Amino acid sequence: MKLTATTHIDALRWHLSIITALLILTWAADATAEKIMLSLGQQKTISAPKATRVAVGDPRVADVKAIEKSGQVLVTAVAQGVTDIIIWDRDGKERTIQVQVIRRDPQVVLGEVRDLLREVEGIRSRTLGSRVIIEGQVLRKQDLARIATVTQLYPEVTNFAKLSPAVMSTTVSAINNELDKAGLTDVRAVRVGNQIHLEGDVPNEPAKLKAETIASAFTADAKSFVNVGVSMEKMVMVNVDFIEIDKAAITEAGIKWGDSLSIGGDASASGLFGAVSQALSGGYTLSASYGVTINMLKKNSRARILARPNLVCRSGEEAEFLAGGEVAIPIVTANTTTVQYKEFGLILKIAPVVDRYDRIATKITVENSQISDFVDGNPNFQTSRVNTAINLNSSETLVLSGLVSSTNAKAVDKLPVLGDVPILGELFKSRRFQKDESELLIFVTPRVTGAGSEEQLRMVENMRQKADAETEKLKFSIMD
């Protein structure tokens, strides 16, 4: 018999058909296989009236016994796992049942979980196979912590609940507000997915620890990415004018210090600070250039500028100005004698802090002191001092007043001898009483600036021109 290529192809097709049919039958058997789920220790009977033999795949998971004369098979869950039970009947047919043994009935676990989380809003729980699923978005961090605790108590529970994005945004804002109050303006809390990250730069480790402590007060899950190194803080230029004005001249010029600040005139003119209209701390307003009034008083010898310092310092640092001097005061103890130097004159200390919106929070200390007299060779000081802490926007002006100096004097002119005679002596003498009062006004204008700003370049150029002018004066001249 001669085999041809066609015969081989037909035989191959027949074998493939048989294999496909077997696979389909196997798949159909698996798809129609019975499944039961039992919890540990639970028992279940399966109806099998014609059963002749029973077998279990893994006796460590389930125990199987045929009940005589009842036509039933008893299945007992022994350990967690999955196994198959095969039952043969007298007709030679076999029946496969898949048995899954779980730790606890998921419906029982679901009921207990719902009881424990009854007061938690924004979540839902359900069963999925042998597990209990928790889903949703909670509104409070303590609720999320409660769900985590329940998940630890029940291994069958899977938690997909998360903190609501609105709550995370509120937490981020609260952390940033506290960082601003603490002066850590270069550190920011940002939301990244479902986490809060702490980012930025600080100058040292204590500042980093402070930022992390603030964040941990609001959430225990904040991740810190704060870098320790030199923090490039913003620079603040502070223009200060110390002006002494005759107390009577203040009223004459139309200046009133009280619940409001008013300066007569609404015209624009150049003066100490130019024509400006800015809000002052404490609800004061400045409606015209106060340089107009000050210049008028200067011309009438009723005011004088004591000092006009321009200070530049870094945000968070302190700048100090002294126009005066120091006096040596000996400190005598039982064993030693030391000398302590006491500053006097006009003293200004200012410590500005700038936030990311260029708003300035600053502490200001102003002191005006002078030597009044000496006692046993030691000086006594007459001192006026102002301490305050205020918030300003960049380029707003703060006015400090109330530093009043009062001097009383009496001069008596009389004829010798005759002026000393009681009663009649009044005809031969004259008295002159003099009372001088002056008030020190301090105008403070902080501005946020930076390296290479136009204002700094203009100041540098001005100083250079003054230096060049002084250098020219020192050169040789035929008129020397």
Side-chain angles (χ1 to χ4, degrees):
M1 182 177 178
K2 195 178 215 180
L3 295 177
T4 63
T6 303
T7 305
H8 285 292
I9 293 174
D10 292 338
L12 182 58
R13 286 177 178 173
W14 183 80
H15 285 94
L16 288 175
S17 299
I18 296 299
I19 294 173
T20 303
L22 291 174
L23 290 175
I24 292 175
L25 290 174
T26 303
W27 174 83
D30 291 339
T32 58
E34 298 178 55
K35 295 182 180 180
I36 60 174
M37 182 182 298
L38 303 174
S39 58
L40 283 176
Q42 186 178 2
Q43 292 182 321
K44 183 178 180 64
T45 57
I46 300 173
S47 177
K50 298 180 180 182
T52 58
R53 187 161 59 96
V54 178
V56 60
D58 189 350
R60 294 172 299 179
V61 175
D63 180 59
V64 180
K65 292 181 179 178
I67 303 176
E68 297 180 0
K69 299 180 181 180
S70 66
Q72 292 181 328
V73 175
L74 178 64
V75 181
T76 303
V78 178
Q80 287 182 260
V82 179
T83 187
D84 289 334
I85 297 174
I86 302 177
I87 303 174
W88 289 270
D89 62 15
R90 65 173 62 98
D91 298 328
K93 295 180 180 180
E94 65 180 51
R95 176 185 174 190
T96 302
I97 302 173
Q98 186 182 83
V99 179
Q100 182 181 5
V101 180
I102 58 176
R103 184 172 177 269
R104 296 189 65 187
D105 186 350
Q107 293 298 330
V108 175
V109 175
L110 178 63
E112 294 179 358
V113 168
R114 285 178 174 174
D115 288 340
L116 291 173
L117 303 179
R118 184 183 300 109
E119 298 178 357
V120 178
E121 297 180 1
I123 62 169
R124 59 186 176 276
S125 53
R126 60 186 177 88
T127 59
L128 180 63
S130 61
R131 303 198 62 80
V132 175
I133 307 299
I134 301 176
E135 302 171 311
Q137 294 180 345
V138 297
L139 304 178
R140 302 185 305 173
K141 290 183 292 183
Q142 52 265 42
D143 290 341
L144 197 62
R146 184 180 181 89
I147 294 174
T149 302
V150 171
T151 304
Q152 293 177 352
L153 293 175
Y154 294 89
E156 306 90 346
V157 177
T158 301
N159 178 28
F160 292 111
K162 299 177 181 178
L163 194 64
S164 172
V167 177
M168 295 190 67
S169 299
T170 303
T171 303
V172 167
S173 298
I175 294 175
N176 286 332
N177 288 336
E178 291 300 321
L179 291 173
D180 289 340
K181 292 179 183 179
L184 300 170
T185 55
D186 282 346
V187 180
R188 295 290 90 184
V190 295
R191 178 189 166 196
V192 180
N194 294 315
Q195 296 180 340
I196 295 178
H197 290 183
L198 211 57
E199 301 175 349
D201 300 313
V202 293
N204 48 49
E205 286 291 344
K208 178 182 179 181
L209 179 60
K210 187 176 183 179
E212 293 172 347
T213 302
I214 291 174
S216 65
F218 293 89
T219 175
D221 301 326
K223 297 184 181 298
S224 176
F225 297 96
V226 177
N227 298 318
V228 177
V230 178
S231 179
M232 300 302 292
E233 302 284 354
K234 294 180 180 180
M235 303 295 290
V236 180
M237 177 181 291
V238 184
N239 302 113
V240 185
D241 277 63
F242 293 92
I243 302 174
E244 187 180 53
I245 303 180
D246 187 345
K247 185 70 172 171
I250 294 179
T251 304
E252 293 174 10
I255 303 177
K256 180 183 178 182
W257 306 105
D259 295 335
S260 63
L261 166 64
S262 61
I263 298 181
D266 196 23
S268 174
S270 61
L272 294 177
F273 293 87
V276 295
S277 178
Q278 299 167 339
L280 302 182
S281 175
Y284 295 106
T285 59
L286 186 62
S287 60
S289 171
Y290 55 81
V292 177
T293 300
I294 302 303
N295 281 339
M296 180 186 68
L297 294 174
K298 285 172 57 183
K299 291 179 180 179
N300 295 329
S301 300
R302 309 298 297 273
R304 63 191 180 111
I305 298 177
L306 303 181
R308 298 184 63 185
N310 291 323
L311 309 176
V312 179
C313 69
R314 199 171 66 155
S315 173
E317 303 294 337
E318 183 181 80
E320 183 175 351
F321 170 78
L322 169 64
E326 293 182 338
V327 61
I329 300 176
I331 306 297
V332 180
T333 62
N335 300 320
T336 61
T337 300
T338 59
V339 175
Q340 181 178 354
Y341 289 89
K342 165 67 177 176
E343 296 178 344
F344 68 94
L346 287 176
I347 304 173
L348 169 70
K349 296 180 180 180
I350 184 167
V353 176
V354 183
D355 68 6
R356 56 178 175 170
Y357 303 107
D358 286 349
R359 295 174 300 198
I360 302 172
T362 182
K363 295 181 179 179
I364 300 176
T365 301
V366 179
E367 179 180 308
N368 183 21
S369 61
Q370 57 186 355
I371 299 176
S372 58
D373 54 16
F374 288 84
V375 176
D376 296 333
N378 296 319
N380 285 337
F381 295 91
Q382 181 180 354
T383 303
S384 300
R385 184 182 296 110
V386 174
N387 291 308
T388 186
I390 51 92
N391 296 326
L392 291 172
N393 290 322
S394 181
S395 298
E396 285 186 347
T397 299
L398 170 71
V399 180
L400 300 176
S401 65
L403 300 178
V404 179
S405 176
S406 179
T407 303
N408 296 310
K410 181 179 74 171
V412 179
D413 295 329
K414 61 182 178 179
L415 290 175
V417 181
L418 294 178
D420 296 327
V421 176
I423 303 176
L424 294 177
E426 297 296 325
L427 301 175
F428 301 97
K429 72 173 79 171
S430 65
R431 295 182 177 87
R432 182 172 68 255
F433 297 90
Q434 182 177 353
K435 181 178 180 181
D436 296 327
E437 284 190 352
S438 62
E439 183 170 357
L440 179 64
L441 307 182
I442 302 102
F443 296 84
V444 181
T445 307
R447 295 181 177 88
V448 178
T449 185
S453 65
E454 293 183 4
E455 189 170 9
Q456 286 203 24
L457 294 175
R458 185 168 59 252
M459 290 180 60
V460 171
E461 183 62 26
N462 186 32
M463 290 294 102
R464 185 179 289 112
Q465 292 176 1
K466 289 183 178 180
D468 293 341
E470 293 298 324
T471 303
E472 288 295 328
K473 292 180 181 180
L474 295 176
K475 290 184 178 179
F476 173 79
S477 174
I478 193 68
M479 300 302 296
D480 288 345

